[in-house]
Amino acid sequence: MSAEPISAAQEARVRDAFAGQGMMKTLGATLTRVARGEVEIVLPFAPHIAQQHGFIHAGGLTTVVDNAGGFAAMTLMPEGMEVLTIEFKVNFLSPAIGRRFLATGRVRRSGRQIFVVDGEVVAEDSHGDRKTVAIMLATMMGVRLDLPRPATTAGSGVLAE
Amino acid sequence: MSAEPISAAQEARVRDAFAGQGMMKTLGATLTRVARGEVEIVLPFAPHIAQQHGFIHAGGLTTVVDNAGGFAAMTLMPEGMEVLTIEFKVNFLSPAIGRRFLATGRVRRSGRQIFVVDGEVVAEDSHGDRKTVAIMLATMMGVRLDLPRPATTAGSGVLAE
Amino acid sequence: MSAEPISAAQEARVRDAFAGQGMMKTLGATLTRVARGEVEIVLPFAPHIAQQHGFIHAGGLTTVVDNAGGFAAMTLMPEGMEVLTIEFKVNFLSPAIGRRFLATGRVRRSGRQIFVVDGEVVAEDSHGDRKTVAIMLATMMGVRLDLPRPATTAGSGVLAE
Amino acid sequence: MSAEPISAAQEARVRDAFAGQGMMKTLGATLTRVARGEVEIVLPFAPHIAQQHGFIHAGGLTTVVDNAGGFAAMTLMPEGMEVLTIEFKVNFLSPAIGRRFLATGRVRRSGRQIFVVDGEVVAEDSHGDRKTVAIMLATMMGVRLDLPRPATTAGSGVLAE
């Protein structure tokens, strides 16, 4: 998948989804690039998302790279479809030490419903030096969502596939 | 691995690690059970950790179940060893709808260095009904950490294996 | 998923699929149990499926546990649907030493299209002692197949999802 | 990892390991390239390694791409170390239709013990057209093996980590 530009409407769809996530605001993440089949999210280091040794929590990196992969798939879906993460696998290559982390998701296989994406998290230090600290391989699904209204007390839901 | 009790010192080690994670406080998670080879963390639903449809973010569930698995492995490690996540895979089974989420990690294989853990996230609704919403299979590593002092501007680190 | 019996027709469907696999004959595998959402395949050790240290090849174990998982999902699919492996992850826990290997697949999540299965490979030695040597977590898909006729020189195909 | 040439001794080590695998002979696979951190294995289509629809079995592709990844890691290990697969994940992108399959493994992270590799299987049809049909992300471990002598009746073994 080359990283071609997409239409303003398609980009807006991804930006709206990102903006609608309380979690992205909580982590402090920014959506930095939306291209055809490829999305980048940047997460600056901060103590409120660290683990016990002061490094950024692996779960924080996973949250942004999962989003980058899901949104990358979303750029290839027709309007009215939503993206669900079926599963992901992440390998952590090095301690996640850095000033900020660049998470990229790219579509490797685009189908009617099933999308396979890979992802990468690169740590950038204060000198601008970069190092890959995590790699993801994930399966996303495009669904026409008719989800039950979520709420903190909501009942059970059925995956609309 | 049966869920036997562990020594007060071993439990304290896990509780200290949990308490040292800014991320757990940020998400609002609580460490609810520490047994030999098995740990449970509870994460209540809250909008600040939601995705765009109002459900809890898959990354939030992953963060707590990764921790539960890592801490489960830690209960079987000798003093002075720290746990690193080498990799995990998580399958999401149903929309994560619930009042709170119970993430459990259990050791399936305990070695000198390599630990294989599985994990599960169960959603509980306001009636107390429960449903499994995610399953994890992960590889943890026990290391004698002598990590460089982390900081927001720290340089590169080398995984101490 | 409890391991309930299934209809003769459903069982025949799985047994036919198994019998139609040249690979199962090549490896020397036997289909030993077909229940609702749960299937077992047994693979005896033999040098022709070994790796360089004389142990059974990890790929051989993976092939049978993938099949066990896929067929487990097939027992829950309506007639006319075929099962495809979207992806699997396998952890190898111990050297695969044994006289024979019992691979079990079980459905953990059953949907209209997407099935999540787990699997396990247990090694049995000549005394009948057993040890888990591999664990799988996998995603299967039920599709109404209308595949192009396969042949050694066949052209490209499109996943019929 | 660039694909640099390696010493004759290092290449011989990989070629010996490959030649020592009964499984590779059984499948009909050929070791076609050994470079620094990168190995390629070719598997021609044949009915004896097919599944029920006449396509090559996913387990056959997995077996060769696992080997390609493990051997890629082996090229970066000092003499006397053996490679074990800790775990792998494989996504299947398209029906594996082709005359032959090219499985490549590449090292993404090289440590003292832990190696992260990715892999790819490309199908080639009779016109020479190629298509990626599977992607792998895997964790390998370098160990100084002192394994118990394997045999069809051997007792239990302990992973020498």
Side-chain angles (χ1 to χ4, degrees), chain C residues 16-18 20-27 45-55 57-64 66-67 71 74 82-95 97-100 124-127 131 145 147-160, chain D residues 16-18 20-27 45-55 57-64 66-67 71 74 82-95 97-100 124-127 131 145 147-160:
Chain C
D16 286 353
F18 186 91
Q21 291 195 356
M23 182 63 111
M24 288 300 100
K25 195 172 179 180
T26 297
L27 296 180
F45 176 82
H48 79 286
I49 54 175
Q51 35 86 298
Q52 68 271 28
H53 304 296
F55 301 118
H57 199 289
L61 300 183
T62 301
T63 303
V64 290
D66 167 39
N67 256 3
F71 291 152
M74 192 191 278
E82 299 289 341
V83 62
L84 292 178
T85 300
I86 291 182
E87 59 83 36
F88 51 60
K89 175 207 201 300
V90 182
N91 267 78
F92 299 95
L93 309 189
S94 301
I97 304 176
R99 188 176 57 88
R100 58 180 204 151
E124 188 184 80
D125 69 16
S126 57
H127 307 292
K131 181 175 187 175
L145 276 188
L147 290 171
R149 284 302 86 199
T152 61
T153 59
S156 64
V158 178
L159 180 55
Chain D
D16 286 352
F18 186 90
Q21 291 195 356
M23 182 63 111
M24 288 300 99
K25 196 172 177 180
T26 296
L27 296 181
F45 176 81
H48 79 287
I49 54 176
Q51 36 85 299
Q52 68 270 30
H53 303 296
F55 301 118
H57 199 289
L61 300 183
T62 302
T63 303
V64 291
D66 167 38
N67 255 4
F71 291 153
M74 192 192 277
E82 299 289 341
V83 63
L84 292 177
T85 300
I86 291 182
E87 59 81 38
F88 51 60
K89 175 205 202 302
V90 183
N91 267 78
F92 299 95
L93 309 189
S94 301
I97 304 175
R99 189 177 57 88
R100 57 179 204 152
E124 187 185 80
D125 69 17
S126 56
H127 306 293
K131 181 175 186 175
L145 275 188
L147 289 172
R149 284 303 86 200
T152 62
T153 59
S156 65
V158 177
L159 181 54

Side-chain angles (χ1 to χ4, degrees), chain A residues 38-58:
Chain A
E38 192 165 331
V39 165
E40 186 193 71
I41 295 172
V42 172
L43 181 62
F45 177 82
H48 79 287
I49 54 175
Q51 34 88 296
Q52 68 271 29
H53 303 295
F55 301 118
I56 194 165
H57 199 288

